[in-house]
Amino acid sequence: MAFAIMVHRKHHSWSDLGLVAAHNRRSFMAPNIDPARVALNRQLQGDPDVVSAAKAALQAAGVTTLRKNGVLAIELLFSASPDFFRPDAPHAAGTWRRDRLAPWVERTMTHLRKTYGANLISAVLHLDETTPHIHAVVIPIDRQPRKKGKSTRLNAARWIGSPAKLRQAQTDYHAAVADLGLQRGQPGSNATHTELKDWYRTMGDLKEDAEVDREAATRLRRQAEEEGRKAAKERDALEGERRAAQSARDAAEREAQASAAERRAAVNDRLNAEGEFASLMADVERDRVIAAALRKRAEEEAAAYARAIQAGLVALAEGAFVGAEDGPERRLVWAPDVKPERRRQISDLIQPAFEAVCSMVRTLSARMTDLLKTANETANSIMRRAQAEAEDLRGRLAKREQALAQKEAQIGSDLASVDRSRTALEAALGRVRDVEQNLSPAQVRAVQDAEAIALAEKTRVDPVRARCEWAKEERDR
C-alpha cells in the first residue's frame, strides 16, 4: 500500500532560509545524494535563491516589521512511498517510473498553487536522492482584512496554527492525489518522520556524518556571516542595533529548541532504522537462496551437456555417424548398419547438445575426407617411387648376374688349371719318391726343396679354391 507524504517545517530566520537554499541548489552534497543524478533536478516554480525571493515578496506586500520569534517561511516536503514510484522494484533506490512521476508532480503543483497562491515563492523537484520529492517554500503573508492592525502581515497560524489545521492540510493534499492510488496516513498516528542524518548515525557511519556536519556548519557559518553583514546594514537602516541584537538572540533560542527536538526524535529514528535494516537483511538472504538455486541449475545443465558430448564422441568412435547435413532442420547421417533401437538410444543421449554434436560430426567427417584424400595421394606417390626403384634394382641385378657369370667362367678356368697343376705335382712327387733311394744327399735336399715348393703351392691354391666355391654359392643364392 502506497501513502501520500507531506511534511512541514517552520523557519524563523534568514540563516534558516539560507540553509534551505543551499540544500535545494546542492551547494553541498549530503551522503544520500548521487552526484551523477544532480542534473535531473528541476525548478518547478520560482527562484532557487529563496532568501532573495522571500525579501522581494515581503517588500512587494509591504511587510517591513518581523515579529520576535515569528515564522518567516514554511518549508513543505511532498513525496510518496517508494512502491508508488517503482512498484516493480521498491528497494531499487534512485529509480522511478515516468508514468507514475509525471502525474504526481502535476497534481502536487496544482495543489500548491491552489492552496498558497502568490505566497509560493519556490518549488524544486529532487531526483538525485533515494525517492523523488518536492521542496516548496511558502511565505505566510496573510492579506485578509481585520479590525485592528495591518491587514497584510506574516501569519503562519492561518495555515498551520493548530493540530486540526495540520490534519486538514494532510487531508487536502491526499484529496489532490487520491486518484493516483495513494492512501492517507492514519489521523492521530504517533509515527514520525526519519531524518537522514539520524539514520546514518544509527547505522554506525559517525565519522562520515560528522565530516558532513562540519562541512555544512562551515558553509552555514560563512553564509550566516555574510547574511549577518547584510542584515547589519538593513537593521542599521530599518531598526538599528537593538532590534538586530534581539533578532540574533531569538534565532539562537530557536536553534536550541530545534536541536532539542532533534535529539528527542533520534530514539524513534533509530528504531525505524533497525526495522529497515532487518528488512534489508531478509532481502539479502532471499537473494542468496535464489542465487544458489540458479547455480545448481546451471551445474546440472552443464553436466547434461557434457554427458551429451561424451555420448556423441562414443557414437562417433563406434562409427554410428557418417556425417551431418545442414538445412532448415539439421540432422545426422547414420551408418547403414546402425539399428533403430541404437539410433533412438544415441539420439536421447545427445539431445541436450544436439547442435554441438552435429557440428562436431560435420567437422570430423570433413577432416576424415581430407585425410583419406591425402593418404591416397601419398600412397600413389609411394607406389610410383617403389616401381621406379624396383626397375632400377632389376637393371642393377641383371648387370650383376652378367658380371658373376663372367667371373664364374674365369673361376672355372682357373680351377681347371689348378687341378692340372696339382695332378702334375702329385705325379712328379710320386716319381721323386720312387727314385729317392738312389739319390745322393744333395739330390735328396733338392727333392725336399721341391716338396716344400709344392706344399707352398698347394697352400696358395686352397684359399683360391675356397673363394671360388663361395662365389659360386653366392651366385646360386
Side-chain angles (χ1 to χ4, degrees):
M1 180 180 298
F3 290 91
I5 298 174
M6 173 183 172
V7 181
H8 81 280
R9 178 179 293 175
K10 303 175 188 178
H11 295 291
H12 303 272
S13 65
W14 296 112
S15 61
D16 288 349
L17 281 184
L19 177 61
V20 173
H23 174 75
N24 289 350
R25 290 184 297 184
R26 296 304 190 238
S27 298
F28 61 89
M29 306 296 284
N32 60 307
I33 295 174
D34 183 0
R37 292 189 283 119
V38 170
L40 300 177
N41 297 340
R42 287 186 288 159
Q43 187 73 32
L44 302 176
Q45 181 164 323
D47 192 334
D49 186 358
V50 294
V51 175
S52 299
K55 291 178 179 179
L58 292 174
Q59 184 178 3
V63 178
T64 59
T65 302
L66 302 178
R67 291 187 299 107
K68 178 182 179 180
N69 203 30
V71 177
L72 179 62
I74 303 172
E75 181 184 9
L76 301 168
L77 184 143
F78 297 90
S79 186
S81 302
D83 52 354
F84 168 74
F85 293 108
R86 42 181 180 269
D88 300 329
H91 298 290
T95 62
W96 62 87
R97 281 175 38 178
R98 294 182 182 274
D99 59 335
R100 293 292 184 96
L101 178 64
W104 173 79
V105 171
E106 178 185 0
R107 285 164 177 73
T108 300
M109 290 305 299
T110 300
H111 169 72
L112 281 169
R113 295 183 180 112
K114 178 181 178 181
T115 304
Y116 301 103
N119 289 348
L120 178 64
I121 64 170
S122 177
V124 60
L125 172 64
H126 283 168
L127 298 175
D128 55 356
E129 299 182 48
T130 301
T131 303
H133 58 275
I134 294 174
H135 288 275
V137 179
V138 174
I139 302 300
I141 300 175
D142 188 357
R143 297 177 176 82
Q144 291 183 347
R146 60 178 180 171
K147 294 181 180 180
K148 295 182 180 181
K150 294 183 179 181
S151 59
T152 302
R153 64 201 184 278
L154 289 176
N155 182 20
R158 176 183 169 186
W159 289 275
I160 58 173
S162 66
K165 291 183 178 181
L166 292 175
R167 286 193 294 270
Q168 187 59 44
Q170 295 281 354
T171 301
D172 293 342
Y173 176 58
H174 170 254
V177 296
D179 64 320
L180 300 179
L182 291 171
Q183 303 296 318
R184 188 196 185 287
Q186 181 66 34
S189 172
N190 293 326
T192 59
H193 176 66
T194 301
E195 293 292 339
L196 283 174
K197 184 176 71 173
D198 296 327
W199 186 86
Y200 282 116
R201 182 178 295 112
T202 303
M203 295 303 292
D205 199 2
L206 297 176
K207 182 177 180 180
E208 183 178 359
D209 185 63
E211 184 64 27
V212 170
D213 287 344
R214 282 194 297 271
E215 293 177 359
T218 301
R219 294 189 184 93
L220 290 177
R221 184 174 62 255
R222 292 173 181 172
Q223 293 175 358
E225 291 173 354
E226 182 65 22
E227 291 296 333
R229 287 189 292 270
K230 294 180 180 178
K233 295 179 181 179
E234 294 176 358
R235 286 193 297 272
D236 290 341
L238 298 174
E239 299 178 10
E241 294 182 357
R242 186 187 61 81
R243 292 185 179 182
Q246 184 63 42
S247 177
R249 286 194 298 271
D250 294 341
E253 291 176 359
R254 287 191 297 272
E255 290 177 358
Q257 293 173 359
S259 177
E262 290 179 355
R263 286 195 299 270
R264 287 193 299 270
V267 176
N268 291 333
D269 293 341
R270 183 174 64 252
L271 296 176
N272 292 336
E274 290 175 353
E276 293 177 1
F277 180 76
S279 176
L280 177 63
M281 292 305 297
D283 292 341
V284 170
E285 180 63 20
R286 183 175 62 255
D287 293 343
R288 187 189 64 77
V289 173
I290 293 173
L294 292 175
R295 182 172 62 252
K296 181 179 179 181
R297 180 179 176 183
E299 291 174 352
E300 292 175 352
E301 291 178 353
Y305 189 87
R307 289 194 297 271
I309 291 294
Q310 183 64 27
L313 291 173
V314 172
L316 185 62
E318 293 176 355
F321 309 131
V322 296
E325 295 182 355
D326 286 333
E329 294 184 0
R330 289 186 175 182
R331 69 184 189 90
L332 295 170
V333 179
W334 300 89
D337 58 345
V338 181
K339 296 182 180 180
E341 293 79 3
R342 180 57 177 164
R343 291 185 182 184
R344 285 193 297 270
Q345 182 185 15
I346 295 174
S347 298
D348 293 341
L349 291 173
I350 67 173
Q351 187 59 39
F354 182 77
E355 293 292 333
V357 173
C358 287
S359 177
M360 178 178 63
V361 171
R362 185 173 58 257
T363 301
L364 292 178
S365 297
R367 181 61 177 165
M368 288 297 295
T369 301
D370 294 340
L371 290 176
L372 288 175
K373 181 178 179 181
T374 303
N376 289 332
E377 292 175 353
T378 304
N380 292 333
S381 176
I382 293 173
M383 288 297 294
R384 288 191 295 270
R385 288 199 303 271
Q387 290 174 356
E389 292 176 357
E391 289 295 334
D392 181 63
L393 181 60
R394 281 194 292 271
R396 286 188 282 115
L397 287 175
K399 292 179 180 179
R400 186 174 179 181
E401 287 179 354
Q402 184 177 3
L404 288 174
Q406 293 175 355
K407 191 172 183 179
E408 181 182 358
Q410 181 65 38
I411 291 171
S413 176
D414 293 342
L415 289 175
S417 176
V418 169
D419 289 338
R420 287 193 299 271
S421 298
R422 186 175 61 184
T423 302
L425 287 172
E426 290 176 351
L429 288 173
R431 288 193 301 272
V432 168
R433 290 188 186 94
D434 290 337
V435 297
E436 184 179 11
Q437 297 176 356
N438 299 320
L439 293 179
S440 63
Q443 290 175 334
V444 171
R445 283 194 297 274
V447 170
Q448 290 177 349
D449 291 338
E451 288 179 351
I453 292 171
L455 181 60
E457 185 66 20
K458 182 179 179 183
T459 302
R460 184 182 68 80
V461 171
D462 287 343
V464 174
R465 175 181 291 277
R467 284 197 299 272
C468 291
E469 291 177 353
W470 174 82
K472 185 178 180 181
E473 293 176 357
E474 284 293 319
R475 183 182 62 80
D476 293 340
R477 284 199 296 271

